[in-house]
Amino acid sequence: MNITRENIDELNAVVKVEIAKEDYNPKVEKVLKDYRKSANIPGFRKGHVPMGLVQKQYGKAVLVDEVNKLLQEALSKYLTEEKLDVLGNPLPKEQDNFDWSDDNYEFQFELGLSPKFEVNLDTKEPITHYTIVADDTMIDNQVKTIQKQYGKLVAKDEAAEGDQVTGTFKNEEEGIENTTTLPLDKLKGKRNLNKFVGAKVGDTITLKTKGLFEDDHDLVEFLKVEHDKAHDLDVEVSFEISEINEQVPADLDQELFDKLFGKGKVTSVTELKEKIKEDAEGQFQQQSDQQLLNDVTERLIEQTKFDLPKEFLQKWIQVSGEKELSAEEAKEEYEKSEKGLRFQLIEGKLIQDNELQVQFEELKEMTKERIKIQMAQFGQMDPSDKDLEDIASRVLSNQEEVKKLSEQVMNKKLLDLYKEKANLTNKEVTYENFVKEVYK
């Protein structure tokens, strides 16, 4: 067997594999002998079928199969030994004069070669790395939300601002009849609110659906009208009040603190606010980090210039799926995926140059941390090491989970690399301003 390579240019090559009869014939003869032992052909005893008949019936199929096996093994070994970094898979070239009745064969494969390039994290313009802070307004609003969530409802005879009223919306012509609990702060404008203020149980209030709520989608929830109908609905509805409740906020006392965070973990309003700030900024950190990953990715794709074996990749896309694509479809698919492919190559280069590796212990630690968070949500605040080890082992026995976790650990390593080596400028913002800047 002989394998040679002709480099067409820096991104394309053709590999020729020459296979002689002595390379494949011993394997073909062995397979045919095994077939002869087990062949069940009418008129012959098992194991006594003439070899010529076996050769005639199975010879070509066995030959093709064994040559293809030999070819794939040889090509794979060659790419590994030559350390060729290829894109996609080798594509066989059509050969008009190929004949299986010959003794010796030559196969040709097109290769798309990975480009050579360098990645510079010290980009020309600095990339903004956001530090998102929880300001006093956000923290105070969160305290009010907690008090409301853990508060209690007190029945009343007369409605006031901030109350909840239970009743039934009706409009016979539109087929509307829905009993619901309506928080009065959901209503839009003083005019609608004033119709409820001072109303009593048993009163019926007439309302216009147009402009009843800030968001027309609330008509879907409270009146149970169809989504498509909600946006243009402009009819009168009645609302008969059956119940009025005032939501009394929970006291900021030790009982509430223990319920929220566990016994004795928080002992004052000051500590409560500190904990809210810590938790919020921990979640904001994840958003900030994800944004940094996105921004560095975009900048590296923009500034890292290299060519790709475009024609080869379009050919490969054309034939590599379940269904063969037309040349035009393959071109469109390539154009959609080119940006992602470029970043895969850039990311691979960063991982190689900085010797980033994912260790099994890192996967296990990440898994255990996530299990602890999940168990805490169900009130199990202090799981044993044995429980964590057992659950982590079960999770890591799933190869799909291991793959996902490996990607997440590697993303964390890349993020740390960007924070250390990229040209970043830090900017402290509130969450509201972060949303305005990033999503504009």
Side-chain angles (χ1 to χ4, degrees):
M1 185 183 304
N2 185 39
I3 303 181
T4 57
R5 180 175 82 249
E6 178 189 355
N7 290 329
I8 308 301
D9 54 39
E10 289 185 350
L11 298 173
N12 295 275
V14 173
V15 169
K16 295 179 183 178
V17 183
E18 296 173 346
I19 298 180
K21 186 172 183 178
E22 57 265 26
D23 297 321
Y24 62 81
N25 202 50
K27 293 184 178 182
V28 171
E29 288 184 351
K30 182 180 183 306
V31 173
L32 290 174
K33 284 176 183 176
D34 291 341
Y35 272 27
R36 187 188 181 208
K37 292 175 188 174
S38 58
N40 192 3
I41 297 176
F44 298 96
R45 284 186 298 146
K46 196 171 182 179
H48 289 77
V49 179
M51 194 62 189
L53 188 56
V54 173
Q55 175 73 40
K56 184 177 179 182
Q57 192 158 344
Y58 301 108
K60 187 172 181 180
V62 171
L63 169 67
V64 172
D65 189 43
E66 291 303 318
V67 169
N68 275 325
K69 283 183 192 173
L70 195 60
L71 178 62
Q72 294 306 319
E73 288 170 10
L75 189 58
S76 177
K77 185 179 178 184
Y78 175 80
L79 295 178
T80 302
E81 289 178 348
E82 293 292 311
K83 297 180 180 176
L84 289 178
D85 195 0
V86 298
L87 301 177
N89 292 316
L91 289 178
K93 290 188 73 172
E94 287 188 21
Q95 295 169 255
D96 294 334
N97 59 349
F98 187 87
D99 189 349
W100 281 108
S101 62
D102 293 339
D103 286 338
N104 301 319
Y105 309 109
E106 180 184 282
F107 300 91
Q108 296 183 17
F109 293 88
E110 295 179 68
L111 302 182
L113 304 177
S114 186
K116 306 295 182 191
F117 60 92
E118 296 300 323
V119 183
N120 184 8
L121 284 171
D122 188 13
T123 53
K124 295 174 186 175
E125 295 294 326
I127 299 167
T128 301
H129 182 207
Y130 294 96
T131 299
I132 309 172
V133 296
D135 59 2
D136 291 341
T137 301
M138 172 177 278
I139 293 168
D140 290 342
N141 286 338
Q142 184 60 25
V143 170
K144 289 175 185 175
T145 300
I146 289 170
Q147 286 184 278
K148 187 175 179 181
Q149 183 181 348
Y150 288 89
K152 59 184 177 181
L153 294 175
V154 176
K156 296 174 63 180
D157 294 326
E158 187 175 299
E161 287 189 39
D163 288 346
Q164 294 183 3
V165 292
T166 299
T168 304
F169 280 108
K170 286 185 182 179
N171 178 301
E172 287 187 19
E173 289 182 8
E174 296 292 332
I176 296 170
E177 184 171 351
N178 186 55
T179 300
T180 187
T181 296
L182 174 67
L184 293 185
D185 56 15
K186 279 281 187 179
L187 295 168
K188 180 180 180 181
K190 282 283 185 185
R191 186 176 177 182
N192 286 320
L193 178 62
N194 288 340
K195 290 184 178 183
F196 283 89
V197 172
K200 295 180 173 59
V201 172
D203 287 355
T204 298
I205 296 168
T206 302
L207 301 156
K208 282 272 192 182
T209 56
K210 189 173 179 63
L212 183 57
F213 301 109
E214 289 286 351
D215 187 344
D216 286 342
H217 289 98
D218 286 338
L219 293 171
V220 177
E221 179 183 350
F222 293 113
L223 275 69
K224 287 293 183 281
V225 298
E226 293 176 2
H227 180 273
D228 293 341
K229 194 176 181 180
H231 289 285
D232 300 315
L233 190 64
D234 185 8
V235 298
E236 277 193 351
V237 289
S238 64
F239 185 86
E240 184 179 352
I241 300 173
S242 59
E243 191 178 321
I244 301 169
N245 289 292
E246 177 185 2
Q247 188 159 35
V248 178
D251 292 330
L252 295 173
D253 55 17
Q254 194 60 48
E255 182 182 352
L256 177 62
F257 302 154
D258 290 348
K259 192 180 291 183
L260 289 170
F261 304 108
K263 193 166 181 61
K265 298 285 178 69
V266 169
T267 59
S268 68
V269 174
T270 300
E271 288 181 10
L272 169 67
K273 290 185 175 183
E274 288 172 354
K275 188 74 170 69
I276 290 171
K277 181 178 176 66
E278 179 189 330
D279 289 348
E281 291 181 352
Q283 292 178 15
F284 294 158
Q285 174 82 43
Q286 294 174 20
Q287 288 180 271
S288 170
D289 285 348
Q290 186 57 55
Q291 189 59 40
L292 180 61
L293 277 171
N294 295 345
D295 290 343
V296 173
T297 297
E298 289 296 324
R299 188 67 62 83
L300 289 176
I301 291 171
E302 179 187 324
Q303 294 191 6
T304 308
K305 304 296 184 184
F306 53 82
D307 292 325
L308 290 169
K310 182 177 176 180
E311 290 183 8
F312 169 84
L313 288 169
Q314 288 180 19
K315 279 192 211 174
W316 177 69
I317 289 170
Q318 191 173 353
V319 299
S320 62
E322 290 181 12
K323 173 186 162 188
E324 186 165 334
L325 304 179
S326 68
E328 190 59 37
E329 287 171 331
K331 183 182 177 185
E332 287 177 17
E333 195 62 34
Y334 170 78
E335 288 168 354
K336 282 190 227 170
S337 59
E338 182 184 355
K339 189 175 179 180
L341 173 58
R342 285 184 177 278
F343 187 66
Q344 279 182 14
L345 293 171
I346 293 169
E347 188 178 70
K349 179 72 171 162
L350 285 169
I351 290 169
Q352 181 184 43
D353 288 352
N354 294 278
E355 298 180 347
L356 303 181
Q357 294 181 340
V358 175
Q359 306 294 337
F360 183 75
E361 282 304 312
E362 293 173 311
L363 296 179
K364 187 192 284 188
E365 285 308 308
M366 175 181 273
T367 305
K368 286 163 73 172
E369 284 303 314
R370 294 191 174 183
I371 293 166
K372 282 167 74 173
I373 292 169
Q374 290 173 352
M375 293 177 82
Q377 291 172 350
F378 294 95
Q380 294 175 268
M381 308 302 290
D382 193 21
S384 69
D385 287 340
K386 184 178 184 307
D387 286 342
L388 290 173
E389 284 283 341
D390 289 346
I391 298 170
S393 294
R394 288 200 296 273
V395 171
L396 294 172
S397 66
N398 183 322
Q399 290 305 307
E400 283 298 315
E401 284 297 319
V402 170
K403 183 180 176 184
K404 282 194 287 187
L405 286 164
S406 297
E407 289 171 358
Q408 289 161 10
V409 170
M410 184 53 75
N411 277 342
K412 174 68 168 61
K413 287 177 180 286
L414 286 166
L415 182 64
D416 291 342
L417 178 71
Y418 298 158
K419 288 179 179 179
E420 179 189 350
K421 295 187 176 181
N423 181 12
L424 305 180
T425 180
N426 290 307
K427 185 172 185 179
E428 189 173 288
V429 291
T430 63
Y431 183 72
E432 184 180 359
N433 287 335
F434 171 76
V435 171
K436 283 179 184 176
E437 283 197 31
V438 170
Y439 301 108
K440 293 184 176 63

